[in-house]
Amino acid sequence: MTVSLLGLGTACPPHRMTQQEATQLFSDIVCEDERQRRLAQMLFRKADVETRYTVVPHKVAYNWCQDVSGIDPPSQPLDRALPSLITPQVVPGKSHGPSTRERMELFARFASELAVRSSEQALSQAGMQAQQITHLVVVTCTGFDAPGVDIELIERLGLPRTTQRVQVGFMGCHGAINGLRTGLAIAAADSHARVLLCAVELCSLHYRYTWDTEGIIGNALFADGSGAIVLGHSDDPSHATSDNSIRPSCNWRLHDTGSVVISDSRQAMSWSIGNHGFDMRLTSDVGDKIEAELASWLSDWLKRHDLRVEDIDFWGVHPGGPRILVAVQNSLDLPQAALATSRSILQRFGNMSSPTVLFILNEFRKQRLAHPKAGRQHCILLGFGPGLVAEIALLSVE
């Protein structure tokens, strides 16, 4: 069961935030005393993030705080998001920020634009027209809206009205791998299927405004982004270019996916809906649980494909945080350089949840094009989500 990656695209929103700016914002809005400010400095520094991108300017968060006069902010959050940025005096830790309903209104307003941009790139790289798409898989865990991103993609890209849709929702950071599994099954069952997979997340909308030791880590890591892939069969005549050449992504193939629930880890990572956004919680033992169990399971899974850990050339590990990358590296006894691309994506873009592994895969694609090698190379995409669950996808490139 193998299909080709016919095209791949990524997109970020226009607003850039440095980690220094993020630290200052957090200190101003959340930290109630000097001890919390010192802890925040350490937390944001250890996150290994340098820049992130958000759908609204980060300083808008000040506008969503209650001011010192005790008067609540205006009742129209969308109007507060985009005009000239005022910076009212705030009382740290005293505001919960926008309601979940208000945050979902922002998701409905901004998610589709990112999804369209990454999908247009994927279609362009595949050399395909939107009317050739037969199936659409949308992945997101940061917003609920219906009709939502899927219908927006059909209408704005000009996909056929008969496009068959699947929504992969609330799966967390490994959601794109769940989407790849869905696309693989569809394309394997129908040799004429052309599947557009789009993962879009607006993690910044779930910024936490009050101190919570297990919840605030997201403020130091999370960002917004979108990634898209077109899946199909490269030997389908409709995929041929005018000169019959192989497109830049057609020599990448998706072979299989796998999944495992790590034992005794139900509380290690959670993602729940609160009154003021979605609450992401990471306990301090997430890395330890990954380090203890990943190697034995992954080694057994690779054996089914006549592969060993040493045979993998590209390790696309979702950078949920530096500790997760260290845990994977230690568990699998990988060299430091093996996760360099994952670390680079974390530094430049932050943790975008589900699209992040597609950003990493896009970097691998560029590296392979810049330094082509004879023969087949293997790639593993690996992500973790609430459960605690590990999801993997096996790819190859020739």
Side-chain angles (χ1 to χ4, degrees), residues 291-308:
E291 195 166 335
E293 294 202 20
L294 178 63
S296 59
W297 167 72
L298 184 54
S299 296
D300 288 343
W301 189 87
L302 287 172
K303 286 179 182 177
R304 293 165 38 193
H305 300 277
D306 297 321
L307 293 169
R308 303 166 300 161

Side-chain angles (χ1 to χ4, degrees), residues 104-318:
M104 293 302 94
E105 289 174 355
L106 290 168
F107 181 88
R109 179 163 182 170
F110 291 109
S112 296
E113 178 61 33
L114 269 184
V116 167
R117 284 172 51 204
S118 64
S119 297
E120 285 176 338
Q121 287 184 29
L123 287 168
S124 176
Q125 190 183 104
M128 293 177 60
Q129 300 297 317
Q131 282 291 319
Q132 294 177 266
I133 295 297
T134 61
H135 296 76
L136 173 64
V137 180
V138 173
V139 179
T140 189
C141 67
T142 50
F144 293 98
D145 183 38
V149 173
D150 52 351
I151 301 300
E152 287 282 334
L153 286 173
I154 289 174
E155 293 180 346
R156 294 180 62 178
L157 293 176
L159 304 183
R161 291 189 298 112
T162 54
T163 301
Q164 300 181 60
R165 301 167 298 132
V166 177
Q167 171 109 0
V168 178
F170 225 57
M171 297 298 288
C173 291
H174 58 55
I177 299 175
N178 301 97
L180 286 171
R181 177 178 300 128
T182 303
L184 176 62
I186 292 170
D190 179 359
S191 62
H192 299 294
R194 302 167 188 85
V195 183
L196 173 61
L197 161 66
C198 181
V200 58
E201 305 288 8
L202 307 187
C203 303
S204 68
L205 299 185
H206 303 288
Y207 192 90
R208 296 183 68 87
Y209 285 71
T210 56
W211 188 275
D212 181 332
T213 303
E214 293 182 353
I216 59 174
I217 183 63
N219 288 18
L221 291 168
F222 283 135
D224 305 339
S226 180
I229 287 182
V230 178
L231 297 170
H233 293 270
S234 58
D235 54 356
D236 187 328
S238 63
H239 296 153
T241 60
S242 58
D243 61 357
N244 292 320
S245 62
I246 297 177
R247 295 196 184 91
S249 291
C250 281
N251 54 349
W252 282 85
R253 299 183 184 274
L254 173 63
H255 298 281
D256 199 3
T257 65
S259 179
V260 64
V261 178
I262 295 174
S263 61
D264 191 29
S265 66
R266 186 178 179 87
Q267 303 304 319
M269 184 185 295
S270 63
W271 186 231
S272 59
I273 301 175
N275 291 331
H276 296 275
F278 300 168
D279 298 332
M280 178 68 181
R281 294 180 181 274
L282 294 170
T283 61
S284 58
D285 60 349
V286 168
D288 294 337
K289 292 183 180 297
I290 292 172
E291 195 166 335
E293 294 202 20
L294 178 63
S296 59
W297 167 72
L298 184 54
S299 296
D300 288 343
W301 189 87
L302 287 172
K303 286 179 182 177
R304 293 165 38 193
H305 300 277
D306 297 321
L307 293 169
R308 303 166 300 161
V309 169
E310 295 80 8
D311 297 323
I312 304 304
D313 303 280
F314 298 99
W315 285 97
V317 180
H318 176 84

Side-chain angles (χ1 to χ4, degrees), residues 85-97:
L85 298 176
I86 59 171
T87 305
Q89 290 288 328
V90 299
V91 180
K94 300 305 180 184
S95 172
H96 291 286

